[in-house]
Amino acid sequence: MHISGWPMTEFLFFIEVVVAGLLAGTMYSLVALGFVLIYKASSTFNFAQGAMVFFAVLSFVGFMELGLPFVLAFFVTILLMALLGFATERLVLKPLMNQSEDTLLMATIGLGFVLEGLAQAVWGVEVRRLDLGIGDFPIQWIIDSTGLFISALDLTAGLVAAVLIIGLALIFKYTKMGLGLRAVADDPGAASSIGIPLGNIMLLVWTAAGIVALVAGMMWGARAGVQFALVDLALKALPVLIIGGFSSIPGAIVGGLIIGASEKVLEVYVGPYFGGAIEGWAPFVIAIFFLLWRPEGLFGEKIIRRV
Amino acid sequence: MKPSTVFMSYTRNDLTNFVILMGLGFAVVPFVVQTDYWYSSILIPWLCLSLAAVGQQIVMGYAGQLALGAAGFMAAGAFALFNLELRLPFMPFPFNLMISGLIAAFFGIIFGLPSLRVRGIYLMVATLAAQFFIIWMIDKFGWFKNYDTSGIITAQDIVIFGREFTSPFEMYLVVLVTVTVLTVLAINMTRGSTGRNWMAVRDMDIAAESMGISLLRTKLQAFAISAFFCGVAGALFAFTYLKSMEPVAFDIKLSFRILFMVILGGLGTINGAFIGAAFILLFPVVLNTLGNGVFHGMIDATIISSIELVVFGVLIIVFMIYEPLGMAKLWDSIKAKLAPQSTLEQAQEKQQRL
């Protein structure tokens, strides 16, 4: 069987590449999701999100090494992230209220370095293995039924991302906290004047971002080991955000999928002509072209600036 | 970075401080400093990184464009000089150095193009593309490394008009002269109409545009000149400090370090670039000495470098909160507090505060 002159195996391979890219893309989405949460609530671009991913998963592995069982370590880490969110809100964001976006961005770059340094100072610098009990190898029944090689880890990451996003969407839509959060996102001044506790909302958002960071870190860590390189990987969430828009949760997902798929397709089909490893910069170049076409991203709000 | 803080008064300070500094560099240092360690491990990298920080300062502190690709442009400059020296050995070194700066400037223009449409974090992502792309290009195309497979490419000796500059002191002189010339140029640019245009764009680009300043011209000019400075700095960094050509040395970490130099040193002052570079370069040295001297190696080196990250991060947050204009402003404030003020100055200060 041929599809427009393309042999079936080639076509299957193409599908495989795309699917693997899409699933890997959900991992970017997970990182991007944390950015979006904080950006929505406080219009702060949290450059430290990548460092939070590293910090969270390194702490999680560290707690496990101390002998805590999996579930307990998970919750202790979430508690730690909540604490971190609290400290950030009090020590960094509050004093910088009403400052320009660029100032806040630079402060969060500083925060990122603090987190990276702290995590390494406490837990050490060696690469840790993280075994979630999910192998990074193709699932047999999918091979049997469709002939596609799809990694179990990729599939899990996709499912986890889906669950997280649906959960977050439900919380935002149907809980009082979520309503408050949307109010704060819309107009912090008005929200606080009608009695919405800004501080609590921020704490909630940073905790949620912390949980997302931990989950993203666990997925990445299971694949590539828990190591400092995670911080650089998280940088790839930036093009995802540019494509999806900074304030849109669906945007983070779609952006992640686009980046993941196009990166893999480019790497497999275009990469060989350039000596490979174009994955490192391809997302950024895609993002640049996207910026030229639609600077606010696919789902972002149009930015209107006035003198 | 409040719009009300205009940095014009700083340029005079920049000039005086710079004259004093260079006086020290040319007249005092050669007679006082005799050890090679100081030249090759402190003074040369400091001057090189200061020059790169001046480049970052131009694009970020003066033109207000958040760029994060300084190390990429440095790599472009370094490998450009390597190839020029390799393929055009008959050309004089200063000429090649200038050309390599121009090549970096070319990349600066290309990767500065997105700045016409985006700002802030968006621009940062676009400039990150420069960082990753340039390093990848050098890594992947053997031509740039002259098909060297050993992994260690030694930089050529610096020969200026038949005279070799190979000892640390001679290299220091080469770097010092280059940095002096370029910094004087930078100070002049920031004092003149070029710099005023940059600052107008930084403080409010829409207003600047409606006053007839071409955003296209101004922003791309800032990117090109910034990349030129970074390129020359990178070339000097590779030829006099690293003494070898390795793309890894110009990774994203270096870009961040240069960004920190500018933020901590003080945005919008040339002084700030030099102060920031000195701080970022010397602080780890001090921390290591402390670690070895006080705790006698009880603390692991990796922990010390982690603490370094924490301190840099905390400092950035603290400066953003309490002194967004960085150490240069801090220094000025201290000086102003100590110096006796004339009534005129007091009146001026009062007026500024209103």
Side-chain angles (χ1 to χ4, degrees):
Chain A
M1 189 179 137
H2 288 255
I3 296 168
S4 63
W6 236 17
M8 189 61 197
T9 49
E10 287 268 313
F11 182 68
L12 263 183
F13 179 66
F14 176 74
I15 294 287
E16 224 169 80
V17 169
V18 172
V19 170
L22 286 175
L23 290 173
T26 56
M27 293 213 194
Y28 296 136
S29 299
L30 277 176
V31 181
L33 195 59
F35 281 102
V36 170
L37 280 175
I38 290 171
Y39 189 82
K40 257 177 107 78
S42 58
S43 355
T44 305
F45 188 85
N46 178 27
F47 201 86
Q49 186 68 28
M52 275 168 71
V53 170
F54 175 63
F55 183 85
V57 69
L58 194 60
S59 303
F60 172 73
V61 175
F63 287 134
M64 294 244 294
E65 275 173 10
L66 288 181
L68 293 188
F70 188 90
V71 179
L72 195 60
F74 188 78
F75 283 105
V76 170
T77 312
I78 287 177
L79 209 67
L80 183 71
M81 296 311 284
L83 205 69
L84 176 76
F86 179 72
T88 310
E89 207 270 321
R90 278 298 142 86
L91 301 176
V92 184
L93 297 183
K94 214 165 199 178
L96 284 173
M97 221 176 228
N98 301 326
Q99 293 287 337
S100 76
E101 261 184 46
D102 286 1
T103 309
L104 272 164
L105 174 61
M106 285 185 255
T108 60
I109 294 178
L111 178 66
F113 273 75
V114 172
L115 293 181
E116 288 162 21
L118 269 182
Q120 287 187 324
V122 174
W123 302 111
V125 290
E126 60 269 25
V127 180
R128 307 306 217 290
R129 272 192 61 241
L130 175 62
D131 192 6
L132 297 176
I134 312 155
D136 195 0
F137 45 79
I139 304 167
Q140 193 57 46
W141 61 266
I142 295 185
I143 302 177
D144 294 339
S145 53
T146 59
L148 294 175
F149 288 74
I150 288 167
S151 156
L153 187 66
D154 277 340
L155 204 62
T156 319
L159 286 177
V160 168
V163 169
L164 258 182
I165 286 146
I166 293 168
L168 283 171
L170 289 179
I171 289 173
F172 284 161
K173 193 121 194 153
Y174 294 110
T175 65
K176 209 173 162 191
M177 265 303 198
L179 190 65
L181 190 129
R182 278 184 287 152
V184 172
D186 213 39
D187 186 340
S192 71
S193 76
I194 56 161
I196 293 172
L198 264 182
N200 291 1
I201 297 282
M202 287 302 155
L203 182 58
L204 177 85
V205 168
W206 278 81
T207 311
I211 296 172
V212 172
L214 173 59
V215 173
M218 285 164 74
M219 293 298 153
W220 280 114
R223 159 152 298 168
V226 178
Q227 54 176 318
F228 193 76
L230 285 181
V231 176
D232 292 341
L233 270 176
L235 279 179
K236 275 200 193 159
L238 297 175
V240 169
L241 289 164
I242 283 188
I243 289 181
F246 281 81
S247 52
S248 155
I249 291 179
I253 308 308
V254 175
L257 296 179
I258 292 177
I259 287 288
S262 53
E263 170 187 284
K264 276 273 157 23
V265 169
L266 283 175
E267 178 69 44
V268 171
Y269 291 99
V270 185
Y273 299 105
F274 296 106
I278 62 172
E279 271 178 319
W281 55 266
F284 292 92
V285 174
I286 297 171
I288 288 185
F289 283 113
F290 224 86
L291 279 176
L292 298 176
W293 173 54
R294 208 181 147 82
E296 67 273 14
L298 279 176
F299 297 88
E301 289 138 37
K302 193 139 192 123
I303 310 150
I304 299 166
R305 292 176 56 243
R306 295 186 179 86
V307 179
Chain B
M1 281 201 291
K2 287 179 207 148
S4 60
T5 44
V6 176
F7 305 121
M8 278 318 290
S9 63
Y10 278 10
T11 45
R12 206 186 62 202
N13 265 335
D14 282 341
L15 207 60
T16 41
N17 287 359
F18 185 68
V19 169
I20 294 170
L21 197 68
M22 288 306 122
L24 277 175
F26 280 111
V28 180
V29 167
F31 299 104
V32 177
V33 180
Q34 301 293 343
T35 49
D36 283 353
Y37 170 79
W38 266 83
Y39 288 117
S40 54
S41 302
I42 308 272
L43 287 168
I44 288 178
W46 173 57
L47 285 171
C48 292
L49 292 178
S50 294
L51 193 61
V54 169
Q56 178 81 2
Q57 190 69 272
I58 285 172
V59 80
M60 196 171 153
Y62 284 96
Q65 308 298 312
L66 209 51
L68 185 60
F73 299 129
M74 284 174 78
F79 278 86
L81 184 60
F82 170 73
N83 279 298
L84 285 167
E85 286 284 295
L86 185 77
R87 290 164 220 284
L88 305 170
F90 45 87
M91 288 304 216
F93 181 82
F95 177 82
N96 279 347
L97 189 63
M98 206 179 76
I99 297 293
S100 51
L102 288 177
I103 290 172
F106 168 74
F107 280 104
I109 292 175
I110 291 183
F111 286 100
L113 279 174
S115 73
L116 301 176
R117 292 207 54 169
V118 295
R119 59 200 325 255
I121 182 73
Y122 293 89
L123 185 62
M124 207 169 193
V125 175
T127 48
L128 269 179
Q131 165 78 45
F132 290 123
F133 181 79
I134 293 173
I135 301 293
W136 170 84
M137 191 177 74
I138 293 169
D139 239 356
K140 282 296 159 191
F141 295 98
W143 187 83
F144 291 113
K145 295 199 255 182
N146 199 29
Y147 301 103
D148 184 284
T149 47
S150 67
I152 306 153
I153 313 164
T154 329
Q156 298 94 332
D157 288 341
I158 300 172
V159 182
I160 302 175
F161 301 121
R163 192 187 184 303
E164 280 191 15
F165 286 79
T166 44
S167 80
F169 176 66
E170 289 163 337
M171 283 187 180
Y172 163 75
L173 284 182
V174 173
V175 175
L176 188 62
V177 169
T178 320
V179 171
T180 309
V181 171
L182 286 179
T183 309
V184 168
L185 211 73
I187 291 176
N188 270 331
M189 274 188 291
T190 53
R191 276 155 52 93
S193 69
T194 323
R196 280 159 205 258
N197 285 351
W198 287 338
M199 285 185 269
V201 169
R202 173 195 67 197
D203 290 339
M204 182 141 295
D205 51 357
I206 303 173
E209 197 176 19
S210 50
M211 283 172 64
I213 296 170
S214 156
L215 287 191
L216 176 104
R217 215 184 99 99
T218 312
K219 284 183 177 176
L220 288 188
Q221 194 183 37
F223 267 97
I225 293 171
S226 159
F228 178 85
F229 275 71
C230 288
V232 172
L236 288 176
F237 193 64
F239 272 68
T240 60
Y241 175 62
L242 301 172
K243 299 193 184 76
S244 65
M245 313 300 296
E246 36 192 339
V248 205
F250 300 100
D251 64 353
I252 180 99
K253 285 203 187 79
L254 186 62
S255 279
F256 270 115
R257 275 173 74 195
I258 291 166
L259 182 78
F260 284 6
M261 286 171 196
V262 176
I263 296 178
L264 289 181
L267 285 167
T269 61
I270 300 289
N271 274 343
F274 283 85
I275 298 174
F279 180 78
I280 298 280
L281 196 73
L282 287 182
F283 183 73
V285 178
V286 171
L287 202 64
N288 268 321
T289 326
L290 252 170
N292 292 333
V294 178
F295 299 100
H296 303 289
M298 265 161 18
I299 301 175
D300 203 42
T302 52
I303 291 189
I304 290 181
S305 67
S306 306
I307 293 172
E308 194 186 301
L309 288 182
V310 176
V311 172
F312 284 159
V314 168
L315 275 177
I316 285 188
I317 295 172
V318 168
F319 268 101
M320 282 295 129
I321 294 172
Y322 297 106
E323 187 56 276
L325 298 180
M327 292 176 179
K329 182 76 202 332
L330 209 61
W331 171 241
D332 276 3
S333 311
I334 294 167
K335 228 170 39 181
K337 279 229 173 64
L338 294 178
Q341 274 184 332
S342 69
T343 30
L344 180 69
E345 276 172 342
Q346 274 168 0
Q348 276 173 344
E349 199 168 272
K350 218 173 195 175
Q351 206 156 26
Q352 272 177 358
R353 252 189 247 138
L354 289 175

